[in-house]
Amino acid sequence: MRKKLIAGNWKMNGLKADAKALAADIFAKATPNMPFDMLVCPPMNVLGFVAELPHSGVFVGAQDVAETIKSNGAFTGDVSAAMVKDLGATWTLVGHSERRQYHGETNAIVKQKALNAINEGLTVVICIGETLAERETGKAVEVVRAQTRECVPNEATAENCVIAYEPVWAIGTGKVPTTADVAEIHAAVRDEIAKVLGTETADKMRILYGGSVKPENAKELLNVENVDGALIGGASLKADSFFAIAEAVK
Ligand code: PEP
């Protein structure tokens, strides 16, 4: 039985005062025995600060790690997985579509980042998802299968890796795929994980849905077969809406 994961991606939101207030609200609502895992991914400027707050029942993660296998060196602006861990975070996202879109990250880069995270003992959430053009030309399944195959390192396990399916056209737009489309993609992703890592790992690995998840649609999306949680952007910036989504896990 896969425990659902409710993950919040704060993106580039969080001056110190805002991050402190949001983290305090979320951590105050969380309890150790919630029927789901919960993760928050603040931006790098406040990651250490959030990770140092008491956060029982909630994991804290980064939104990205550096591509280089080095943990330090001449890589201006980069933050290595070792540095993320040193800040007190235990998880990280990699391959978010905004990284792919604005920073030209390829599947090969995402795979290297995922491996760096795993090698450092972090749990990694690998984001994949098709663009609108790919969806409209009937290529969605093919694209996410290739992304899964090309981004998941052989070292991944159900314990150190989670996949997040986030159709690019659904992120921040208020649009969501049909539940049938979500089910089709999640089944394909699990099948592809099985090819890379074997069926036992594939059966246990969590596959999240992300893209305009709100309290109003959470129940429907979280009940789709093979949907093991949600990666939430906008609605994770308020503790009330974040927990209202989590409440849909029963
Ligand atoms: C995201 O950025 O990962 C995301 C899913 O954003 P939103 O929930 O705002 O669509």
Side-chain angles (χ1 to χ4, degrees):
M1 171 86 173
R2 296 179 297 264
K3 192 174 188 186
K4 287 205 170 24
L5 170 65
I6 302 299
N9 172 14
W10 296 5
K11 309 197 188 197
M12 198 175 72
N13 296 293
L15 296 176
K16 279 189 285 183
D18 306 327
K20 188 176 182 180
L22 178 56
D25 279 358
I26 291 173
F27 297 160
K29 277 178 178 283
T31 54
N33 296 318
M34 298 186 295
F36 45 80
D37 286 335
M38 183 167 259
L39 166 69
V40 292
C41 299
M44 212 59 94
N45 63 316
V46 291
L47 181 61
F49 161 79
V50 171
E52 276 171 20
L53 297 173
H55 55 273
S56 171
V58 184
F59 299 117
V60 176
Q63 297 173 13
D64 188 33
V65 293
E67 180 193 354
T68 175
I69 57 166
K70 297 189 177 167
S71 51
N72 60 283
F75 298 92
T76 303
D78 281 340
V79 178
S80 67
M83 289 168 159
V84 163
K85 186 175 162 190
D86 187 53
L87 285 171
T90 52
W91 287 61
T92 189
L93 310 179
V94 296
H96 191 280
S97 70
E98 288 149 16
R99 301 290 317 168
R100 294 175 187 261
Q101 191 181 348
Y102 304 134
H103 298 271
E105 293 192 5
T106 60
N107 290 340
I109 292 173
V110 174
K111 183 178 187 177
Q112 184 61 55
K113 289 183 170 200
L115 182 59
N116 295 347
I118 289 169
N119 283 342
E120 209 46 66
L122 301 173
T123 303
V124 66
V125 180
I126 300 176
C127 304
I128 58 171
E130 82 283 1
T131 63
L132 184 59
E134 289 161 346
R135 164 66 56 185
E136 286 178 344
T137 51
K139 295 199 183 106
V141 171
E142 184 191 321
V143 166
V144 297
R145 275 187 181 273
Q147 288 174 327
T148 307
R149 210 167 42 237
E150 292 169 22
C151 294
V152 175
N154 292 335
E155 291 76 359
T157 67
E159 287 71 43
N160 67 20
C161 183
V162 171
I163 308 294
Y165 166 56
E166 301 202 294
V168 179
W169 52 273
I171 295 178
T173 60
K175 293 181 189 151
V176 286
T178 64
T179 51
D181 287 341
V182 174
E184 181 186 34
I185 297 280
H186 279 236
V189 171
R190 198 170 302 288
D191 183 57
E192 209 58 47
I193 298 167
K195 288 186 195 160
V196 182
L197 301 172
T199 48
E200 202 181 315
T201 299
D203 285 347
K204 290 192 202 141
M205 191 172 284
R206 291 183 282 191
I207 306 171
L208 313 183
Y209 168 77
S212 295
V213 179
K214 308 276 178 242
E216 301 74 41
N217 60 21
K219 201 166 199 75
E220 197 179 19
L221 288 162
L222 287 166
N223 278 330
V224 175
E225 196 173 356
N226 283 310
V227 172
D228 306 311
L231 179 55
I232 304 145
S236 73
L237 294 174
K238 293 260 184 301
D240 283 350
S241 47
F242 193 42
F243 272 84
I245 292 169
E247 281 304 308
V249 178
K250 285 290 172 240

